Amino acid sequence: MKLGATGKYPQGSYGRHDEGELQFGVARDSYGNVRVDFGKPVAWMALPPATAIELAKLLLRHAGAKKVEIEL
């Protein structure tokens, strides 16, 4: 998977500072740390609520959580 900007705006543009969709990876590195690689410098990002929850669950799983439950 190629990391970084895709040039797409699937949620529409947030204005002139919005650089569009960003593909990033989450993994555990050789030191045991959870690493988030954006593929480029990133000042901010916005996620729809459901995607933010999925990212939180992914980070928790990579951090070693055995069970992740989120109720809304």
Side-chain angles (χ1 to χ4, degrees):
M1 175 172 75
K2 183 180 174 212
L3 303 177
T6 67
K8 300 175 184 174
Y9 294 81
Q11 302 293 320
S13 177
Y14 278 85
R16 64 185 182 99
H17 296 292
D18 187 352
E19 296 181 14
E21 182 179 62
L22 179 68
Q23 293 218 25
F24 60 94
V26 178
R28 200 162 185 164
D29 68 17
S30 59
Y31 298 103
N33 297 313
V34 178
R35 180 182 173 129
V36 180
D37 188 343
F38 294 102
K40 62 173 262 168
V42 175
W44 62 273
M45 68 180 204
L47 302 169
T51 305
I53 290 169
E54 288 305 312
L55 175 58
K57 289 166 43 177
L58 180 64
L59 290 169
L60 289 166
R61 282 194 298 271
H62 279 288
K66 300 295 181 209
K67 185 175 182 180
V68 178
E69 291 184 26
I70 299 174
E71 288 186 40
L72 300 176

